[in-house]
Amino acid sequence: GILLHRQIDSFTDGNEIARMSKKRLNGQFGLYKGIIIDIFYDHMLAKNWSDYSEIPLGVYTKEFYTLLMKHYEILPEKIKYLSRYMIEEDWLRSYAHKEGIQKVLTGMNRRTGGKSKMNLAIKDLEDHYDDLENDFTLFFHELRNFSKNKLSAIDQLFQ
């Protein structure tokens, strides 16, 4: 999972569709544009979850949180700290709603000492919503193919 996640991050950073999404954002966000797009894409995935999975989002998140707690002892300290809040506030399901995304953006801005101005990015989401959703749909199709190929390669490493 960690190996795939790292490869997905690299794929996303070099993806033309993700770059196009970043260009839709206000220039004030600078280096934080990639993080903002990741959050917006998380929103689109959660909002449209039933298009991508037969497992309802609520069931999936509950199973994920259970798995997280099952392996709590081996988690890095930072993840241990965050996981409590993630579960209590049901972050993953909250991403399906703009209010949840606003809360995430506000929290990220707070963690940067207000430097990122990420709390203001909700306006960009609203102003470019349809374009960002279309970007996500195209991007996610490419990402699924990429991930499928990488998972096969990773599986071969461990056989």
Side-chain angles (χ1 to χ4, degrees):
I2 292 170
L3 291 173
L4 179 60
H5 186 82
R6 289 179 182 153
Q7 292 181 359
I8 287 172
D9 284 345
S10 295
F11 173 81
T12 303
D13 290 343
N15 185 275
E16 191 56 41
I17 298 166
R19 284 190 193 128
M20 185 170 53
S21 291
K22 289 179 200 175
K23 289 178 184 175
R24 297 185 193 287
L25 299 180
N26 187 308
Q28 71 182 329
F29 301 118
L31 297 174
Y32 296 100
K33 284 183 175 186
I35 298 167
I36 293 167
I37 292 302
D38 283 350
I39 294 167
F40 288 176
Y41 281 10
D42 286 346
H43 165 66
M44 298 304 175
L45 176 59
K47 176 184 161 259
N48 299 301
W49 183 262
S50 63
D51 293 344
Y52 303 107
S53 178
E54 293 179 11
I55 301 168
L57 182 59
V59 172
Y60 177 84
T61 57
K62 185 175 181 181
E63 288 175 3
F64 174 78
Y65 297 147
T66 299
L67 188 61
L68 193 65
M69 294 313 296
K70 180 179 177 183
H71 298 288
Y72 185 81
E73 292 307 316
I74 64 169
L75 296 174
E77 288 303 316
K78 183 176 180 182
I79 301 302
K80 285 181 180 179
Y81 175 77
L82 287 176
S83 65
R84 289 192 328 238
Y85 298 104
M86 178 187 286
I87 294 167
E88 286 173 16
E89 298 175 19
D90 196 5
W91 285 3
L92 299 178
R93 281 199 321 161
S94 76
Y95 286 4
H97 309 283
K98 288 181 189 175
E99 297 81 16
I101 295 303
Q102 179 64 64
K103 189 172 182 177
V104 170
L105 293 168
T106 299
M108 295 293 283
N109 184 58
R110 189 174 44 252
R111 283 188 212 86
T112 66
K115 185 171 76 170
S116 70
K117 308 270 190 264
M118 289 172 75
N119 58 310
L120 304 177
I122 197 73
K123 181 169 180 356
D124 292 68
L125 177 62
E126 291 167 349
D127 289 350
H128 304 286
Y129 198 89
D130 291 339
D131 290 330
L132 288 165
E133 188 163 26
N134 290 332
D135 291 352
F136 169 78
T137 301
L138 295 171
F139 168 80
F140 199 65
H141 175 74
E142 290 183 11
L143 178 62
R144 289 175 79 182
N145 290 333
F146 171 84
S147 297
K148 183 178 177 182
N149 292 335
K150 290 298 177 180
L151 276 174
S152 293
I154 291 170
D155 284 345
Q156 289 177 3
L157 286 175
F158 292 101
Q159 291 181 358

